[in-house]
Amino acid sequence: MSSTFRAYRVSKTDTDTATTRQVTHISEDTLATFEDNITIDVHYSSLNYKDALSATGNPGVTKTYPHTPGIDAAGIVQTSTSDKFQAGDEVIVMSYDLGMNTPGGFAEVIRVPASWVMPKPAGLSLFESMVLGTAGFTAALALDALISQGLEAEAGEVVVTGASGGVGSIAVALLAAQGFEVVASTGKQAAHDLLNSLGASRVVGRDAFSEASSRPLLKGTWAAAVDGVGGVALANIIKSLKYGGAVAAYGLVGGAELDLTVFPFILRGVSLVGVDSAECPMAKRVEIWHKLASDWKLTNLDAITQTISLDELDEAVEAILRGEILGRRVVDVRS
Ligand code: NDP
């Protein structure tokens, strides 16, 4: 008989409009199987916006239920059929299909193919790796993309939208730690002090970017931007980049449409750089995680980190969908 473990399990039938969610014991038989199987005792996971979409039945994220969300997991290899990993190795698994249609990290055990598994970098603990999680990794990918576009600290202000969110808050901290002048845009009055403490040189309201404009160009203001909002906000940012500026776009909490002309691109030479963590190749993952564990290591994330148990997840799922969460929720799956 296979053993059981605790998981935050989401159920939905084809006719249900809403999901039902509970922390329950499930059997290892419910885990996926692959050509080579790495079974991992999960110690920590973290909550990302995508997890909340999966937990609430968004078919663009998860097609088949019952399901265990959780796109992030950090833990210790229990068994391995691959010679790349041995029992006892400390590892990170992030994105690919984890938590989407493969049972994810909101559980004490996951099973994934070896190609999704990364050794935990020495400079981070399992807990610290999940304070960052997909959010921190995505923020670091965005910074890396802007630097690749030639962004230098002297270039001027870099605006970060959705700045109190998971990716946004870490982007503020990372950019500031690397010497950039960061302007944090937030819809939360209560987040201003925190964003200043992460290194923002000033904080502006979300409404600075929320009015649609028919003008093809706006006053050139930003050297660069990291945007998780999309829609009108992203269009406004592209129109108000300075000559040669770049925006790293990773999210769509405010909208998926992009209503623009080509003028910002052909008159100001600006760049729109897409950021994707989910299918990011393993070599790039290792490079970025190595930076996060060394030169880019952040030591000021305590104030934006709250640790929760599996039993406290459901409330956090609702809160992240309402845009209310400030910073990161690490899930201590064994507490
Ligand atoms: P969070 O919920 O933690 O952060 C999103 C933030 O956006 C909120 O905290 C809020 O910040 C702001 N916000 C929320 N609703 C709105 C709105 N209607 N209009 C404008 N701003 C809003 O989510 P994550 O950081 O986990 O993810 C953010 C986005 O990035 C999601 O779309 C997610 O799917 C995507 N994502 C993409 C990745 C990739 O690889 N491309 C990886 C990770 C996430 P504030 O109150 O400060 O304005």
Side-chain angles (χ1 to χ4, degrees):
M1 212 179 82
S2 78
S3 58
T4 66
F5 57 89
R6 288 180 88 226
Y8 172 78
R9 200 72 172 154
V10 179
S11 305
K12 179 179 179 291
T13 66
D14 287 346
T15 51
D16 287 342
T17 47
T19 54
T20 52
R21 311 182 295 255
Q22 59 171 336
V23 178
T24 183
H25 280 87
I26 56 173
S27 147
E28 286 205 4
D29 296 342
T30 59
L31 295 175
T33 50
F34 303 89
E35 229 166 72
D36 51 5
N37 288 305
I38 314 293
T39 305
I40 298 164
D41 287 330
V42 180
H43 286 238
Y44 298 101
S45 180
S46 80
L47 178 65
N48 296 280
Y49 193 79
K50 206 187 231 178
D51 301 319
L53 296 180
S54 171
T56 51
N58 186 308
V61 179
T62 301
K63 295 195 170 34
T64 316
Y65 295 86
H67 173 64
T68 308
I71 64 171
D72 280 331
I76 297 176
V77 173
Q78 185 193 95
T79 59
S80 165
T81 61
S82 158
D83 54 13
K84 288 192 198 147
F85 295 97
Q86 319 296 325
D89 288 351
E90 292 191 315
V91 293
I92 298 173
V93 186
M94 193 200 74
S95 316
Y96 292 116
D97 192 50
L98 186 71
M100 293 182 68
N101 290 290
T102 300
F106 294 165
E108 289 172 335
V109 181
I110 57 170
R111 191 187 293 136
V112 292
S115 58
W116 296 4
V117 183
M118 224 195 76
K120 177 188 72 60
L124 293 171
S125 65
L126 289 174
F127 177 80
E128 286 171 331
S129 71
M130 288 295 102
V131 170
L132 296 166
T134 293
F137 177 74
T138 304
L141 271 181
L143 172 58
D144 183 69
L146 293 178
I147 291 171
S148 299
Q149 290 295 314
L151 181 66
E152 290 178 354
E154 306 72 43
E157 289 183 325
V158 181
V159 66
V160 177
T161 58
S164 76
V167 183
S169 56
I170 298 179
V172 169
L174 269 177
L175 282 156
Q178 294 309 307
F180 294 96
E181 197 178 341
V182 186
V183 176
S185 159
T186 182
K188 298 185 192 79
Q189 191 64 35
H192 287 217
D193 287 350
L194 206 62
L195 290 166
N196 285 321
S197 78
L198 289 177
S201 57
R202 64 189 178 97
V203 181
V204 296
R206 197 190 278 175
D207 49 5
F209 301 97
S210 59
E211 281 288 307
S213 162
S214 57
R215 292 172 58 194
L217 287 167
L218 298 168
K219 183 174 173 236
T221 307
W222 314 109
V226 176
D227 177 60
V229 176
V232 172
L234 179 57
N236 283 335
I237 286 168
I238 292 169
K239 291 176 189 180
S240 55
L241 286 170
K242 285 183 180 174
Y243 193 90
V247 51
Y250 68 87
L252 73 174
V253 286
E257 306 298 322
L258 194 55
D259 186 11
L260 276 178
T261 66
V262 296
F263 289 115
F265 304 102
I266 65 171
L267 295 181
R268 286 195 185 148
V270 306
S271 306
L272 169 58
V273 190
V275 173
D276 170 59
S277 59
E279 295 299 324
C280 177
M282 188 50 88
K284 188 72 183 176
R285 286 176 189 237
V286 171
E287 176 197 325
I288 293 289
W289 275 103
H290 176 72
K291 283 184 181 169
L292 283 166
S294 55
D295 297 354
W296 290 2
K297 182 159 180 177
L298 294 168
T299 51
N300 58 346
L301 298 181
D302 285 0
I304 59 153
T305 305
Q306 197 179 316
T307 306
I308 58 173
S309 65
L310 281 181
D311 299 298
E312 291 165 316
L313 242 180
D314 206 46
E315 209 180 308
V317 161
E318 297 286 350
I320 200 169
L321 287 174
R322 291 193 301 265
E324 285 173 9
I325 290 211
L326 232 152
R328 299 280 293 144
R329 295 288 181 278
V330 175
V331 187
D332 181 349
V333 300
R334 287 165 185 271
S335 70

PDB file of all heavy atoms in Angstrom, residues 48-50 134 138 162-168 185-188 206 228-229 250-254 275-278 320 323 325 327, ligand 1:
ATOM      1  N   ASN A  48       2.143  32.116  -5.262  1.00  0.00           N
ATOM      2  CA  ASN A  48       2.227  33.024  -6.404  1.00  0.00           C
ATOM      3  C   ASN A  48       0.820  33.235  -6.957  1.00  0.00           C
ATOM      4  O   ASN A  48      -0.070  32.403  -6.745  1.00  0.00           O
ATOM      5  CB  ASN A  48       3.115  32.423  -7.497  1.00  0.00           C
ATOM      6  CG  ASN A  48       4.560  32.256  -7.038  1.00  0.00           C
ATOM      7  OD1 ASN A  48       5.333  33.204  -7.037  1.00  0.00           O
ATOM      8  ND2 ASN A  48       4.915  31.055  -6.602  1.00  0.00           N
ATOM      9  N   TYR A  49       0.662  34.306  -7.722  1.00  0.00           N
ATOM     10  CA  TYR A  49      -0.652  34.629  -8.300  1.00  0.00           C
ATOM     11  C   TYR A  49      -1.210  33.442  -9.090  1.00  0.00           C
ATOM     12  O   TYR A  49      -2.387  33.114  -9.006  1.00  0.00           O
ATOM     13  CB  TYR A  49      -0.479  35.857  -9.198  1.00  0.00           C
ATOM     14  CG  TYR A  49      -1.766  36.497  -9.631  1.00  0.00           C
ATOM     15  CD1 TYR A  49      -2.484  37.333  -8.779  1.00  0.00           C
ATOM     16  CD2 TYR A  49      -2.271  36.262 -10.902  1.00  0.00           C
ATOM     17  CE1 TYR A  49      -3.667  37.926  -9.196  1.00  0.00           C
ATOM     18  CE2 TYR A  49      -3.449  36.849 -11.321  1.00  0.00           C
ATOM     19  CZ  TYR A  49      -4.143  37.679 -10.464  1.00  0.00           C
ATOM     20  OH  TYR A  49      -5.315  38.260 -10.864  1.00  0.00           O
ATOM     21  N   LYS A  50      -0.318  32.775  -9.839  1.00  0.00           N
ATOM     22  CA  LYS A  50      -0.749  31.652 -10.678  1.00  0.00           C
ATOM     23  C   LYS A  50      -1.343  30.512  -9.830  1.00  0.00           C
ATOM     24  O   LYS A  50      -2.247  29.802 -10.274  1.00  0.00           O
ATOM     25  CB  LYS A  50       0.471  31.143 -11.442  1.00  0.00           C
ATOM     26  CG  LYS A  50       0.143  30.445 -12.745  1.00  0.00           C
ATOM     27  CD  LYS A  50       1.419  29.850 -13.316  1.00  0.00           C
ATOM     28  CE  LYS A  50       1.646  30.224 -14.750  1.00  0.00           C
ATOM     29  NZ  LYS A  50       2.915  29.668 -15.260  1.00  0.00           N
ATOM     30  N   THR A 134       9.356  31.538  -7.441  1.00  0.00           N
ATOM     31  CA  THR A 134       9.169  31.995  -8.825  1.00  0.00           C
ATOM     32  C   THR A 134       9.160  33.517  -8.891  1.00  0.00           C
ATOM     33  O   THR A 134       9.659  34.115  -9.851  1.00  0.00           O
ATOM     34  CB  THR A 134       7.860  31.421  -9.403  1.00  0.00           C
ATOM     35  OG1 THR A 134       8.031  30.006  -9.523  1.00  0.00           O
ATOM     36  CG2 THR A 134       7.540  31.999 -10.761  1.00  0.00           C
ATOM     37  N   THR A 138      11.679  35.536 -11.179  1.00  0.00           N
ATOM     38  CA  THR A 138      11.152  36.360 -12.273  1.00  0.00           C
ATOM     39  C   THR A 138      11.678  37.790 -12.166  1.00  0.00           C
ATOM     40  O   THR A 138      12.052  38.410 -13.173  1.00  0.00           O
ATOM     41  CB  THR A 138       9.606  36.346 -12.239  1.00  0.00           C
ATOM     42  OG1 THR A 138       9.179  34.988 -12.289  1.00  0.00           O
ATOM     43  CG2 THR A 138       9.005  37.121 -13.397  1.00  0.00           C
ATOM     44  N   GLY A 162       2.994  47.372  -9.725  1.00  0.00           N
ATOM     45  CA  GLY A 162       2.553  46.266  -8.853  1.00  0.00           C
ATOM     46  C   GLY A 162       3.605  46.027  -7.786  1.00  0.00           C
ATOM     47  O   GLY A 162       3.899  44.888  -7.418  1.00  0.00           O
ATOM     48  N   ALA A 163       4.177  47.135  -7.281  1.00  0.00           N
ATOM     49  CA  ALA A 163       5.414  47.036  -6.508  1.00  0.00           C
ATOM     50  C   ALA A 163       5.257  46.337  -5.169  1.00  0.00           C
ATOM     51  O   ALA A 163       6.240  45.837  -4.619  1.00  0.00           O
ATOM     52  CB  ALA A 163       6.006  48.434  -6.300  1.00  0.00           C
ATOM     53  N   SER A 164       4.059  46.278  -4.634  1.00  0.00           N
ATOM     54  CA  SER A 164       3.922  45.594  -3.338  1.00  0.00           C
ATOM     55  C   SER A 164       3.678  44.105  -3.518  1.00  0.00           C
ATOM     56  O   SER A 164       3.622  43.354  -2.549  1.00  0.00           O
ATOM     57  CB  SER A 164       2.772  46.204  -2.535  1.00  0.00           C
ATOM     58  OG  SER A 164       1.534  45.750  -3.060  1.00  0.00           O
ATOM     59  N   GLY A 165       3.512  43.638  -4.774  1.00  0.00           N
ATOM     60  CA  GLY A 165       3.256  42.217  -5.022  1.00  0.00           C
ATOM     61  C   GLY A 165       4.518  41.382  -4.880  1.00  0.00           C
ATOM     62  O   GLY A 165       5.592  41.899  -4.561  1.00  0.00           O
ATOM     63  N   GLY A 166       4.369  40.089  -5.129  1.00  0.00           N
ATOM     64  CA  GLY A 166       5.487  39.165  -4.957  1.00  0.00           C
ATOM     65  C   GLY A 166       6.657  39.522  -5.855  1.00  0.00           C
ATOM     66  O   GLY A 166       7.765  39.802  -5.377  1.00  0.00           O
ATOM     67  N   VAL A 167       6.439  39.523  -7.156  1.00  0.00           N
ATOM     68  CA  VAL A 167       7.531  39.855  -8.081  1.00  0.00           C
ATOM     69  C   VAL A 167       7.951  41.310  -7.904  1.00  0.00           C
ATOM     70  O   VAL A 167       9.146  41.625  -7.836  1.00  0.00           O
ATOM     71  CB  VAL A 167       7.110  39.613  -9.555  1.00  0.00           C
ATOM     72  CG1 VAL A 167       8.273  39.893 -10.493  1.00  0.00           C
ATOM     73  CG2 VAL A 167       6.598  38.183  -9.764  1.00  0.00           C
ATOM     74  N   GLY A 168       6.948  42.200  -7.798  1.00  0.00           N
ATOM     75  CA  GLY A 168       7.235  43.631  -7.730  1.00  0.00           C
ATOM     76  C   GLY A 168       8.117  43.994  -6.548  1.00  0.00           C
ATOM     77  O   GLY A 168       9.109  44.731  -6.702  1.00  0.00           O
ATOM     78  N   SER A 185       5.570  51.801  -7.958  1.00  0.00           N
ATOM     79  CA  SER A 185       4.172  52.179  -8.167  1.00  0.00           C
ATOM     80  C   SER A 185       3.282  51.160  -7.479  1.00  0.00           C
ATOM     81  O   SER A 185       3.389  49.955  -7.724  1.00  0.00           O
ATOM     82  CB  SER A 185       3.880  52.204  -9.670  1.00  0.00           C
ATOM     83  OG  SER A 185       2.488  52.092  -9.882  1.00  0.00           O
ATOM     84  N   THR A 186       2.402  51.641  -6.617  1.00  0.00           N
ATOM     85  CA  THR A 186       1.545  50.722  -5.858  1.00  0.00           C
ATOM     86  C   THR A 186       0.133  51.283  -5.705  1.00  0.00           C
ATOM     87  O   THR A 186      -0.050  52.501  -5.674  1.00  0.00           O
ATOM     88  CB  THR A 186       2.142  50.441  -4.457  1.00  0.00           C
ATOM     89  OG1 THR A 186       1.300  49.503  -3.784  1.00  0.00           O
ATOM     90  CG2 THR A 186       2.263  51.696  -3.610  1.00  0.00           C
ATOM     91  N   GLY A 187      -0.826  50.381  -5.577  1.00  0.00           N
ATOM     92  CA  GLY A 187      -2.189  50.797  -5.280  1.00  0.00           C
ATOM     93  C   GLY A 187      -2.451  50.798  -3.781  1.00  0.00           C
ATOM     94  O   GLY A 187      -3.564  51.083  -3.349  1.00  0.00           O
ATOM     95  N   LYS A 188      -1.442  50.442  -2.994  1.00  0.00           N
ATOM     96  CA  LYS A 188      -1.652  50.309  -1.543  1.00  0.00           C
ATOM     97  C   LYS A 188      -0.939  51.430  -0.783  1.00  0.00           C
ATOM     98  O   LYS A 188       0.293  51.454  -0.715  1.00  0.00           O
ATOM     99  CB  LYS A 188      -1.098  48.965  -1.042  1.00  0.00           C
ATOM    100  CG  LYS A 188      -1.764  47.746  -1.644  1.00  0.00           C
ATOM    101  CD  LYS A 188      -1.231  46.471  -1.005  1.00  0.00           C
ATOM    102  CE  LYS A 188      -1.643  45.237  -1.764  1.00  0.00           C
ATOM    103  NZ  LYS A 188      -0.824  44.976  -2.975  1.00  0.00           N
ATOM    104  N   ARG A 206      -0.738  53.824  -8.098  1.00  0.00           N
ATOM    105  CA  ARG A 206      -1.035  52.998  -9.266  1.00  0.00           C
ATOM    106  C   ARG A 206      -1.724  53.828 -10.353  1.00  0.00           C
ATOM    107  O   ARG A 206      -1.591  53.564 -11.547  1.00  0.00           O
ATOM    108  CB  ARG A 206      -1.972  51.883  -8.799  1.00  0.00           C
ATOM    109  CG  ARG A 206      -2.088  50.721  -9.718  1.00  0.00           C
ATOM    110  CD  ARG A 206      -3.230  49.808  -9.273  1.00  0.00           C
ATOM    111  NE  ARG A 206      -2.876  48.901  -8.208  1.00  0.00           N
ATOM    112  CZ  ARG A 206      -3.751  48.094  -7.610  1.00  0.00           C
ATOM    113  NH1 ARG A 206      -5.024  48.120  -7.970  1.00  0.00           N
ATOM    114  NH2 ARG A 206      -3.366  47.281  -6.649  1.00  0.00           N
ATOM    115  N   GLY A 228       4.360  44.237 -14.151  1.00  0.00           N
ATOM    116  CA  GLY A 228       3.557  43.037 -13.963  1.00  0.00           C
ATOM    117  C   GLY A 228       2.082  43.310 -14.163  1.00  0.00           C
ATOM    118  O   GLY A 228       1.252  42.443 -13.920  1.00  0.00           O
ATOM    119  N   VAL A 229       1.744  44.509 -14.587  1.00  0.00           N
ATOM    120  CA  VAL A 229       0.335  44.909 -14.684  1.00  0.00           C
ATOM    121  C   VAL A 229      -0.208  44.717 -16.096  1.00  0.00           C
ATOM    122  O   VAL A 229      -1.319  44.241 -16.295  1.00  0.00           O
ATOM    123  CB  VAL A 229       0.158  46.377 -14.205  1.00  0.00           C
ATOM    124  CG1 VAL A 229      -1.283  46.834 -14.388  1.00  0.00           C
ATOM    125  CG2 VAL A 229       0.572  46.505 -12.741  1.00  0.00           C
ATOM    126  N   TYR A 250       6.313  41.131 -17.447  1.00  0.00           N
ATOM    127  CA  TYR A 250       6.171  39.734 -17.010  1.00  0.00           C
ATOM    128  C   TYR A 250       4.746  39.364 -16.624  1.00  0.00           C
ATOM    129  O   TYR A 250       4.452  38.188 -16.429  1.00  0.00           O
ATOM    130  CB  TYR A 250       7.120  39.435 -15.829  1.00  0.00           C
ATOM    131  CG  TYR A 250       6.722  40.178 -14.574  1.00  0.00           C
ATOM    132  CD1 TYR A 250       5.799  39.650 -13.683  1.00  0.00           C
ATOM    133  CD2 TYR A 250       7.278  41.423 -14.296  1.00  0.00           C
ATOM    134  CE1 TYR A 250       5.418  40.344 -12.553  1.00  0.00           C
ATOM    135  CE2 TYR A 250       6.897  42.125 -13.170  1.00  0.00           C
ATOM    136  CZ  TYR A 250       5.965  41.579 -12.304  1.00  0.00           C
ATOM    137  OH  TYR A 250       5.574  42.276 -11.186  1.00  0.00           O
ATOM    138  N   GLY A 251       3.837  40.343 -16.467  1.00  0.00           N
ATOM    139  CA  GLY A 251       2.528  39.964 -15.909  1.00  0.00           C
ATOM    140  C   GLY A 251       1.374  40.708 -16.527  1.00  0.00           C
ATOM    141  O   GLY A 251       1.547  41.575 -17.406  1.00  0.00           O
ATOM    142  N   LEU A 252       0.181  40.379 -16.071  1.00  0.00           N
ATOM    143  CA  LEU A 252      -1.033  40.911 -16.697  1.00  0.00           C
ATOM    144  C   LEU A 252      -2.160  41.110 -15.696  1.00  0.00           C
ATOM    145  O   LEU A 252      -3.334  41.025 -16.055  1.00  0.00           O
ATOM    146  CB  LEU A 252      -1.477  39.992 -17.847  1.00  0.00           C
ATOM    147  CG  LEU A 252      -2.102  38.633 -17.510  1.00  0.00           C
ATOM    148  CD1 LEU A 252      -2.596  37.971 -18.785  1.00  0.00           C
ATOM    149  CD2 LEU A 252      -1.222  37.725 -16.742  1.00  0.00           C
ATOM    150  N   VAL A 253      -1.817  41.411 -14.428  1.00  0.00           N
ATOM    151  CA  VAL A 253      -2.890  41.563 -13.432  1.00  0.00           C
ATOM    152  C   VAL A 253      -3.883  42.666 -13.796  1.00  0.00           C
ATOM    153  O   VAL A 253      -5.035  42.643 -13.381  1.00  0.00           O
ATOM    154  CB  VAL A 253      -2.358  41.807 -11.991  1.00  0.00           C
ATOM    155  CG1 VAL A 253      -1.788  40.544 -11.390  1.00  0.00           C
ATOM    156  CG2 VAL A 253      -1.351  42.928 -11.958  1.00  0.00           C
ATOM    157  N   GLY A 254      -3.433  43.637 -14.597  1.00  0.00           N
ATOM    158  CA  GLY A 254      -4.328  44.740 -14.979  1.00  0.00           C
ATOM    159  C   GLY A 254      -4.914  44.580 -16.373  1.00  0.00           C
ATOM    160  O   GLY A 254      -5.763  45.380 -16.776  1.00  0.00           O
ATOM    161  N   VAL A 275       9.414  38.549 -20.313  1.00  0.00           N
ATOM    162  CA  VAL A 275      10.080  37.746 -19.279  1.00  0.00           C
ATOM    163  C   VAL A 275       9.215  36.532 -18.978  1.00  0.00           C
ATOM    164  O   VAL A 275       8.045  36.673 -18.609  1.00  0.00           O
ATOM    165  CB  VAL A 275      10.264  38.584 -17.984  1.00  0.00           C
ATOM    166  CG1 VAL A 275      10.801  37.726 -16.857  1.00  0.00           C
ATOM    167  CG2 VAL A 275      11.181  39.764 -18.255  1.00  0.00           C
ATOM    168  N   ASP A 276       9.772  35.344 -19.142  1.00  0.00           N
ATOM    169  CA  ASP A 276       9.033  34.121 -18.824  1.00  0.00           C
ATOM    170  C   ASP A 276       9.861  33.226 -17.920  1.00  0.00           C
ATOM    171  O   ASP A 276      10.989  32.864 -18.256  1.00  0.00           O
ATOM    172  CB  ASP A 276       8.693  33.336 -20.104  1.00  0.00           C
ATOM    173  CG  ASP A 276       8.151  31.964 -19.742  1.00  0.00           C
ATOM    174  OD1 ASP A 276       7.133  31.904 -19.033  1.00  0.00           O
ATOM    175  OD2 ASP A 276       8.776  30.946 -20.122  1.00  0.00           O
ATOM    176  N   SER A 277       9.284  32.879 -16.788  1.00  0.00           N
ATOM    177  CA  SER A 277       9.991  31.971 -15.879  1.00  0.00           C
ATOM    178  C   SER A 277       9.640  30.513 -16.153  1.00  0.00           C
ATOM    179  O   SER A 277      10.461  29.623 -15.957  1.00  0.00           O
ATOM    180  CB  SER A 277       9.635  32.297 -14.429  1.00  0.00           C
ATOM    181  OG  SER A 277       8.232  32.170 -14.241  1.00  0.00           O
ATOM    182  N   ALA A 278       8.420  30.258 -16.641  1.00  0.00           N
ATOM    183  CA  ALA A 278       7.900  28.886 -16.676  1.00  0.00           C
ATOM    184  C   ALA A 278       8.742  27.952 -17.535  1.00  0.00           C
ATOM    185  O   ALA A 278       9.082  26.853 -17.114  1.00  0.00           O
ATOM    186  CB  ALA A 278       6.453  28.889 -17.160  1.00  0.00           C
ATOM    187  N   ILE A 320      -4.655  37.041  -2.329  1.00  0.00           N
ATOM    188  CA  ILE A 320      -3.786  37.412  -3.470  1.00  0.00           C
ATOM    189  C   ILE A 320      -4.648  37.740  -4.681  1.00  0.00           C
ATOM    190  O   ILE A 320      -4.343  38.653  -5.451  1.00  0.00           O
ATOM    191  CB  ILE A 320      -2.715  36.324  -3.764  1.00  0.00           C
ATOM    192  CG1 ILE A 320      -1.548  36.918  -4.571  1.00  0.00           C
ATOM    193  CG2 ILE A 320      -3.276  35.131  -4.512  1.00  0.00           C
ATOM    194  CD1 ILE A 320      -0.319  36.033  -4.696  1.00  0.00           C
ATOM    195  N   GLY A 323      -5.715  41.156  -4.704  1.00  0.00           N
ATOM    196  CA  GLY A 323      -4.595  42.108  -4.823  1.00  0.00           C
ATOM    197  C   GLY A 323      -4.194  42.675  -3.471  1.00  0.00           C
ATOM    198  O   GLY A 323      -3.616  43.750  -3.393  1.00  0.00           O
ATOM    199  N   ILE A 325      -2.246  41.122  -1.024  1.00  0.00           N
ATOM    200  CA  ILE A 325      -1.046  40.605  -0.339  1.00  0.00           C
ATOM    201  C   ILE A 325       0.134  41.536  -0.563  1.00  0.00           C
ATOM    202  O   ILE A 325       0.365  42.032  -1.661  1.00  0.00           O
ATOM    203  CB  ILE A 325      -0.749  39.160  -0.797  1.00  0.00           C
ATOM    204  CG1 ILE A 325      -1.838  38.269  -0.212  1.00  0.00           C
ATOM    205  CG2 ILE A 325       0.649  38.733  -0.433  1.00  0.00           C
ATOM    206  CD1 ILE A 325      -1.443  36.874   0.117  1.00  0.00           C
ATOM    207  N   GLY A 327       4.002  41.620  -0.523  1.00  0.00           N
ATOM    208  CA  GLY A 327       5.217  40.808  -0.493  1.00  0.00           C
ATOM    209  C   GLY A 327       4.955  39.327  -0.694  1.00  0.00           C
ATOM    210  O   GLY A 327       4.151  38.937  -1.532  1.00  0.00           O
TER     211      GLY A 327
HETATM  212  P1  NDP B   1       0.888  39.456  -6.705  1.00  0.00           P
HETATM  213  O1  NDP B   1      -0.568  39.360  -6.509  1.00  0.00           O
HETATM  214  O2  NDP B   1       1.799  39.111  -5.580  1.00  0.00           O
HETATM  215  O3  NDP B   1       1.269  40.941  -7.174  1.00  0.00           O
HETATM  216  C1  NDP B   1       0.530  41.637  -8.123  1.00  0.00           C
HETATM  217  C2  NDP B   1       0.451  43.104  -7.714  1.00  0.00           C
HETATM  218  O4  NDP B   1      -0.108  43.840  -8.802  1.00  0.00           O
HETATM  219  C3  NDP B   1      -0.489  43.378  -6.550  1.00  0.00           C
HETATM  220  O5  NDP B   1       0.098  43.181  -5.303  1.00  0.00           O
HETATM  221  C4  NDP B   1      -0.823  44.829  -6.784  1.00  0.00           C
HETATM  222  O6  NDP B   1       0.283  45.618  -6.362  1.00  0.00           O
HETATM  223  C5  NDP B   1      -0.876  44.927  -8.285  1.00  0.00           C
HETATM  224  N1  NDP B   1      -2.244  44.789  -8.800  1.00  0.00           N
HETATM  225  C6  NDP B   1      -3.170  43.876  -8.461  1.00  0.00           C
HETATM  226  N2  NDP B   1      -4.309  44.049  -9.165  1.00  0.00           N
HETATM  227  C7  NDP B   1      -4.088  45.098  -9.986  1.00  0.00           C
HETATM  228  C8  NDP B   1      -4.851  45.762 -10.968  1.00  0.00           C
HETATM  229  N3  NDP B   1      -6.107  45.402 -11.240  1.00  0.00           N
HETATM  230  N4  NDP B   1      -4.301  46.790 -11.610  1.00  0.00           N
HETATM  231  C9  NDP B   1      -3.049  47.186 -11.345  1.00  0.00           C
HETATM  232  N5  NDP B   1      -2.259  46.580 -10.432  1.00  0.00           N
HETATM  233  C10 NDP B   1      -2.772  45.554  -9.763  1.00  0.00           C
HETATM  234  O7  NDP B   1       1.230  38.565  -7.984  1.00  0.00           O
HETATM  235  P2  NDP B   1       2.642  37.999  -8.543  1.00  0.00           P
HETATM  236  O8  NDP B   1       3.717  38.955  -8.225  1.00  0.00           O
HETATM  237  O9  NDP B   1       2.763  36.577  -8.163  1.00  0.00           O
HETATM  238  O10 NDP B   1       2.318  38.012 -10.108  1.00  0.00           O
HETATM  239  C11 NDP B   1       2.014  39.224 -10.773  1.00  0.00           C
HETATM  240  C12 NDP B   1       1.722  38.942 -12.241  1.00  0.00           C
HETATM  241  O11 NDP B   1       2.879  38.386 -12.860  1.00  0.00           O
HETATM  242  C13 NDP B   1       0.615  37.937 -12.507  1.00  0.00           C
HETATM  243  O12 NDP B   1      -0.048  38.312 -13.703  1.00  0.00           O
HETATM  244  C14 NDP B   1       1.353  36.643 -12.712  1.00  0.00           C
HETATM  245  O13 NDP B   1       0.619  35.691 -13.439  1.00  0.00           O
HETATM  246  C15 NDP B   1       2.568  37.131 -13.456  1.00  0.00           C
HETATM  247  N6  NDP B   1       3.776  36.317 -13.315  1.00  0.00           N
HETATM  248  C16 NDP B   1       4.458  36.043 -14.456  1.00  0.00           C
HETATM  249  C17 NDP B   1       5.631  35.349 -14.413  1.00  0.00           C
HETATM  250  C18 NDP B   1       6.394  35.113 -15.670  1.00  0.00           C
HETATM  251  O14 NDP B   1       7.241  34.229 -15.685  1.00  0.00           O
HETATM  252  N7  NDP B   1       6.149  35.879 -16.718  1.00  0.00           N
HETATM  253  C19 NDP B   1       6.140  34.798 -13.139  1.00  0.00           C
HETATM  254  C20 NDP B   1       5.394  35.225 -11.974  1.00  0.00           C
HETATM  255  C21 NDP B   1       4.233  35.960 -12.084  1.00  0.00           C
HETATM  256  P3  NDP B   1       0.118  47.140  -5.860  1.00  0.00           P
HETATM  257  O15 NDP B   1      -1.030  47.144  -4.895  1.00  0.00           O
HETATM  258  O16 NDP B   1       1.417  47.428  -5.213  1.00  0.00           O
HETATM  259  O17 NDP B   1      -0.163  47.984  -7.061  1.00  0.00           O
END
